[in-house]
């Protein structure tokens, strides 16, 4: 079955069941500053899920192009991608679990549609916890369909819950469908969520709760269904491939890469690294997959008619990273320049389903080629600096020179580089840029840990308190937060006295006791610079987010920051400084906790 056939079958199936077909929205969300890209089919529909009337009615279906960079480190395996297409059907306060589940099952298994083997299907439902009930209804519906109890897993929120899209809003339990992709003589009787051979293929979300500002899940009158099924995985499963990259949506790219490189997909690359005195070989599939995935995502971002080009912020920054990462992996399998050739292949695959790619072909090609040339220059410059013996961290941050290349060069010259030192400096650097551009590599729906969120808000209070106690010269130099503690580096030349530390603690705890609201606004950078604290070694976009703590006109703190934060300082508990020490000349470090 081809991808065109699957798209068509899906849309026809739901059209026959009263759904109106809507076109894919842009990859760049409109009017939604909380995310850089459309990460799921539900994204462009959020206003309608919240109750606004959709002009086409209450039943919708579509194929939505999506980009998720939250999983970027998983790309390289057989089934994760940054760019993918999501098939979805929606009920806006219309049908609910019974119809949605029955239709999902029918579409998957009926010979008229996908005709998947019923024996290889397993499902999961929400188990219930102190905040929301066990989804018994879905469980029963699956039983009625004929799925045995051993094939219906009851799983916690972590697995079987979706949303809300922001801090508050519609959300609910979901029911996921899995397909056994292992050998046919090894199909297990029971479903086991830990076994990757049970591949998740479809997710039916039942939005029947609203998470309110107190964090409470209230049952909603208004119930929606949001389903999402990844096309690439489905295509592989339907055609019996154990690897999405072997499907027609990727294979022509892989073949072209084979032609351009010294390797075949799956060859073992020469010694990759030496670990505990053992030579480790690397499976080249990872390289092929990352290049194919990243260039495909780049072609779609450039082809999206929003004029996004590689840059140092926002969507442009993600685009730049994707392209440069692809080029870097290309070099590792011996490919020199290739973006033009691969782009041609990608456009060929998608030109019917997404005509915008063909229409914007020149724009896409020009930008990819330019970025390839720019990166080439960066590498050349970096190489010169490397020869001068510059610190790998400076090479990376100032010249964009990848650490892997530094390592390779050092190895060739028989030099050693201090990786530990590099990673330590990187961790601090990243924390710093994350506060400025958080979310860049995350989907907007990613949920930040509660503890880190609290400590993040406490860090803003600490920053403001230090400026009161020590003086306005105090500037943030670095910040690192784990679930247990915060660490904050700032400019100040003397060791803090016991009284100073006590005073800072008192102020922070006072602000917690005052139950101050935490809010953010988006504003032009030039305006924001006049009113809010920001870092001087950071590049910000034209529009920035400013987080404030306090009430209108009476703010205790205002900082450039990507969030996330708690909603009110009353959530923080008791603030305590554990340690105050020097990091380098003129820079001090505080470690603190919230009990
Ligand atoms: N929103 C859900 C998902 O992305 C279902 O579409 O998985």
């Amino acid at each position: 079955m081809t991808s065109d056939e699957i798209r068509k079958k899906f849309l026809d199936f739901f059209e026959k069941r009263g759904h109106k077909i809507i076109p894919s929205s842009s990859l760049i969300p409109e009017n939604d500053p909380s995310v850089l890209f459309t990460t799921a089919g539900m994204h462009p529909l959020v206003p309608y899920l919240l109750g606004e009337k959709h002009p086409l009615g209450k039943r919708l279906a579509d194929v939505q192009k999506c980009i998720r960079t939250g999983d970027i480190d998983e790309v390289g395996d057989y089934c994760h991608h940054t760019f993918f297409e999501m098939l979805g059907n929606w009920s806006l306060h219309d049908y609910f679990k019974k119809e949605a589940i029955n239709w999902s099952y029918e579409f998957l298994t009926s010979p008229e549609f996908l005709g998947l083997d019923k024996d290889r299907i397993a499902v999961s439902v929400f188990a219930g916890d102190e905040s929301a009930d066990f989804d018994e209804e879905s469980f029963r519906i699956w039983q009625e369909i004929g799925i045995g109890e051993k094939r219906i897993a009851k799983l916690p929120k972590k697995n079987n819950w979706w949303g809300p899209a922001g801090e508050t809003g519609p959300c609910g339990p979901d029911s996921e469908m899995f397909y056994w992709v292992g050998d046919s003589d090894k199909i297990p009787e029971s479903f086991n969520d830990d076994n990757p051979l049970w591949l998740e293929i479809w997710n039916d979300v039942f939005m029947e709760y609203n998470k309110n500002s107190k964090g409470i899940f209230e049952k909603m009158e208004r119930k929606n269904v949001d389903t999402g099924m990844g096309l690439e995985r489905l295509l592989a499963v339907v055609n019996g491939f154990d690897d999405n990259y072997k499907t027609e949506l990727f294979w022509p790219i892989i073949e072209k890469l084979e032609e351009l490189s010294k390797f075949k997909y799956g060859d073992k690359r020469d010694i990759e690294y030496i670990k505990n005195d053992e030579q480790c070989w690397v499976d080249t599939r990872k390289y092929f997959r990352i290049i194919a995935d990243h260039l495909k995502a780049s072609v779609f971002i450039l082809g999206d008619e929003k004029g996004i080009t590689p840059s140092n912020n926002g969507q442009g920054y993600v685009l730049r990273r994707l392209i440069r990462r692809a080029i870097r992996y290309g070099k590792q399998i011996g490919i020199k320049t290739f973006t033009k050739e691969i782009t041609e292949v990608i456009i060929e695959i998608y030109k019917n389903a997404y005509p915008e790619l063909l229409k914007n072909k020149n724009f896409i090609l020009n930008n990819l080629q330019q970025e390839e040339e720019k990166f080439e220059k960066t590498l050349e410059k970096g190489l010169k600096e490397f020869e001068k013996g510059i610190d790998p961290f400076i090479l990376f941050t100032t010249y964009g020179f990848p650490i892997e290349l530094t390592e390779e060069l050092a190895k060739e010259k028989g030099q050693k580089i201090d990786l530990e030192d590099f990673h330590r400096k990187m961790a601090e650097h990243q924390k710093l840029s994350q506060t400025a551009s958080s979310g860049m590599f995350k989907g907007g729906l990613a949920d930040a840990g509660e503890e880190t969120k609290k400590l993040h808000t406490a860090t803003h209070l600490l920053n403001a308190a230090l400026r009161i106690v020590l003086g306005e010269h105090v500037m943030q130099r670095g910040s690192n937060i784990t679930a247990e503690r915060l660490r904050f580096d700032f400019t100040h030349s003397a060791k803090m006295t016991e009284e100073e530390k006590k005073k800072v603690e008192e102020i922070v705890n006072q602000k917690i006791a005052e139950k101050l609201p935490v809010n953010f606004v988006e504003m032009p950078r030039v305006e924001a610079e006049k009113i809010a604290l920001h870092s001087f070694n950071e590049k910000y976009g034209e529009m920035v987010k400013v987080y404030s703590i306090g009430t209108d006109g009476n703010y205790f703190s205002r900082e450039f920051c990507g969030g996330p934060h708690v909603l009110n300082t009353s959530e923080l508990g008791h603030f305590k400084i554990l340690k105050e020490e020097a990091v380098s000349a003129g820079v001090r470090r505080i470690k603190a906790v919230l009990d």
Side-chain angles (χ1 to χ4, degrees):
M1 214 180 279
T2 64
S3 53
D4 277 340
E5 281 173 89
I6 294 186
R7 290 190 199 95
K8 185 166 179 338
K9 271 180 195 269
F10 181 83
L11 296 177
D12 286 350
F13 180 92
F14 283 101
E15 197 167 27
K16 281 205 194 96
R17 286 155 185 80
H19 293 65
K20 289 283 185 300
I21 309 306
I22 53 172
S24 172
S25 293
S26 165
L27 275 174
I28 318 298
E30 311 248 352
N31 309 321
D32 184 353
S34 69
V35 282
L36 293 175
F37 295 103
T38 300
T39 57
M42 58 89 76
H43 221 120
L45 292 169
V46 168
Y48 309 106
L49 295 167
L50 287 169
E52 219 162 282
K53 200 163 164 284
H54 194 284
L56 291 178
K58 294 176 160 190
R59 297 183 179 195
L60 308 171
D62 71 356
V63 181
Q64 173 66 47
K65 33 182 189 174
C66 303
I67 293 227
R68 268 187 204 177
T69 45
D71 287 342
I72 197 160
D73 290 328
E74 315 231 20
V75 176
D77 72 359
Y78 74 99
C79 64
H80 282 88
H81 310 295
T82 49
F83 170 85
F84 62 96
E85 292 171 78
M86 198 179 241
L87 310 171
N89 57 292
W90 280 271
S91 157
L92 303 171
H93 199 22
D94 188 39
Y95 63 82
F96 207 44
K97 295 179 184 173
K98 194 167 173 71
E99 293 86 341
I101 291 179
N102 274 286
W103 286 337
S104 290
Y105 190 69
E106 185 186 350
F107 183 73
L108 291 177
T109 58
S110 158
E112 202 187 325
F113 302 100
L114 299 188
L116 290 177
D117 183 355
K118 291 182 178 171
D119 239 21
R120 289 173 178 253
I121 289 186
V123 302
S124 63
V125 299
F126 176 54
D129 59 20
E130 61 289 341
S131 66
D133 297 336
F134 162 47
D135 185 3
E136 196 177 347
E137 193 183 344
S138 297
F139 185 83
R140 294 259 168 271
I141 297 169
W142 283 118
Q143 275 191 319
E144 276 160 30
I145 284 176
I147 308 287
E149 259 195 55
K150 289 187 174 162
R151 289 278 181 89
I152 313 179
K154 296 175 195 160
L155 300 174
K157 259 219 183 79
K158 171 165 80 68
N159 307 72
N160 280 68
W161 192 271
W162 182 270
E167 293 286 328
T168 57
C171 54
D174 63 38
S175 185
E176 299 181 358
M177 286 148 264
F178 299 80
Y179 198 69
W180 174 256
V181 294
D183 292 343
S184 50
D185 56 346
K186 294 202 185 95
I187 308 178
E189 207 185 325
S190 309
F191 168 62
N192 168 8
D193 157 55
D194 288 335
N195 186 340
L197 292 174
W198 283 109
L199 186 67
E200 184 201 330
I201 51 175
W202 203 345
N203 185 10
D204 287 359
V205 184
F206 305 117
M207 295 184 167
E208 53 183 321
Y209 287 86
N210 177 46
K211 187 177 178 194
N212 69 20
S213 58
K214 293 195 186 81
I216 295 183
F217 294 90
E218 316 163 313
K219 274 256 184 183
M220 268 199 309
E221 231 337 89
R222 207 195 147 73
K223 294 181 172 140
N224 304 306
V225 175
D226 150 25
T227 90
M229 174 155 60
L231 177 66
E232 293 74 7
R233 281 187 185 186
L234 196 64
L235 185 64
V237 161
V238 168
N239 291 299
F241 289 124
D242 57 0
D243 176 352
N244 295 2
Y245 292 85
K246 289 189 185 154
T247 68
E248 56 165 32
L249 293 179
F250 282 103
W251 192 247
I253 312 175
I254 302 289
E255 280 182 324
K256 192 69 180 182
L257 287 170
E258 282 185 331
E259 201 184 299
L260 298 168
S261 85
K262 306 185 290 207
F263 296 94
K264 286 268 171 233
Y265 184 67
D267 278 355
K268 300 271 185 274
R269 188 175 179 268
D270 299 348
I271 310 168
E272 170 68 7
Y273 52 95
I274 298 190
K275 198 171 164 189
N276 302 336
D277 287 338
E278 253 179 67
Q279 292 182 350
C280 299
W281 303 79
V282 159
D283 180 344
T284 50
R285 283 182 303 186
K286 179 178 153 199
Y287 297 79
F288 284 93
R289 288 167 175 167
I290 289 175
I291 300 166
D293 171 90
H294 287 11
L295 286 183
K296 192 196 275 192
S298 305
V299 166
F300 270 89
I301 296 172
L302 285 164
D304 207 69
E305 319 215 273
K306 287 283 166 88
I308 304 286
T309 54
S311 71
N312 280 337
N313 50 51
Q315 285 102 351
Y317 176 69
V318 175
L319 176 61
R320 168 160 282 167
R321 276 202 60 184
L322 287 167
I323 300 171
R324 293 190 173 195
R325 209 160 179 253
I327 297 172
R328 191 149 63 68
Y329 278 91
K331 288 196 184 305
Q332 311 231 12
I333 51 171
I335 310 183
K336 292 210 166 63
T337 67
F338 62 109
T339 58
K340 181 167 183 298
E341 274 103 326
I342 299 299
T343 305
E344 303 265 3
V345 179
I346 295 171
I347 295 179
E348 190 57 35
I349 299 174
Y350 287 101
K351 66 175 191 232
N352 293 329
Y354 298 97
E356 67 267 29
L357 297 185
L358 202 54
K359 192 170 145 220
N360 298 309
K361 187 170 171 180
N362 284 340
F363 181 79
I364 300 172
L365 281 174
N366 289 343
N367 273 289
L368 276 166
Q369 273 180 296
Q370 269 176 31
E371 187 62 13
E372 195 171 7
E373 280 160 25
K374 260 192 209 153
F375 190 41
E376 206 50 60
K377 291 214 182 82
T378 300
L379 291 176
E380 247 171 62
K381 233 193 264 159
L383 210 56
K384 284 207 194 99
E385 297 304 315
F386 173 84
E387 300 290 342
K388 293 186 203 153
I390 301 250
D391 181 346
F393 173 73
I394 307 273
L395 269 178
F396 181 76
T397 47
T398 313
Y399 300 93
F401 202 72
I403 182 69
E404 293 83 356
L405 276 185
T406 308
E407 274 184 272
E408 266 176 29
L409 289 171
K411 214 190 295 172
E412 274 169 27
K413 294 184 169 271
Q415 295 171 355
K416 265 212 148 69
I417 57 170
D418 188 345
L419 270 185
E420 212 169 284
D421 179 68
F422 174 81
H423 288 300
R424 191 177 50 74
K425 287 178 181 158
M426 275 308 288
E428 296 195 358
H429 175 74
Q430 269 159 0
K431 192 64 226 168
L432 208 92
S433 28
Q434 245 165 31
T435 38
S437 55
S438 132
M440 264 183 184
F441 262 76
K442 275 206 198 109
L445 310 181
D447 194 27
E450 274 313 304
E451 291 312 310
T452 54
K453 227 158 54 177
K454 287 185 198 166
L455 286 161
H456 190 187
T457 307
T459 303
H460 282 217
L461 291 177
L462 170 64
N463 192 359
L466 285 168
R467 290 168 64 86
I468 294 173
V469 176
L470 303 177
E472 299 275 305
H473 61 276
V474 168
M475 282 291 166
Q476 169 165 347
R477 273 285 169 272
S479 161
N480 172 293
I481 296 170
T482 68
E484 283 78 39
R485 56 113 186 100
L486 67 83
R487 194 179 79 197
F488 186 71
D489 295 351
F490 58 99
T491 46
H492 183 59
S493 45
K495 185 175 170 57
M496 281 176 76
T497 65
E498 285 307 314
E499 291 89 285
E500 283 168 341
K501 281 191 269 181
K502 220 170 126 224
K503 191 89 201 74
V504 167
E505 280 178 345
E506 269 168 24
I507 295 176
V508 172
N509 283 315
Q510 172 61 30
K511 295 298 153 190
I512 293 174
E514 284 173 22
K515 303 190 184 353
L516 300 175
V518 184
N519 289 301
F520 74 85
V521 285
E522 277 233 320
M523 57 170 91
R525 188 192 63 229
V526 278
E527 291 306 311
E529 277 167 353
K530 295 179 197 155
I531 56 157
L533 288 178
H534 55 279
S535 163
F536 289 98
N537 36 15
E538 199 59 53
K539 280 207 178 76
Y540 297 101
E542 279 315 302
M543 289 293 285
V544 295
K545 249 163 118 176
V546 170
Y547 266 89
S548 63
I549 304 180
T551 41
D552 265 354
N554 186 17
Y555 297 113
F556 176 65
S557 143
R558 286 173 117 183
E559 285 193 33
F560 279 40
C561 179
H565 286 277
V566 298
L567 298 172
N568 193 290
T569 58
S570 60
E571 296 170 45
L572 301 187
H574 186 257
F575 175 83
K576 193 167 160 13
I577 295 179
L578 295 183
K579 203 169 181 186
E580 192 272 342
E581 62 191 349
V583 196
S584 58
V587 180
R588 310 289 305 175
R589 167 171 293 175
I590 281 181
K591 283 191 184 151
V593 290
L594 291 167
D595 326 307

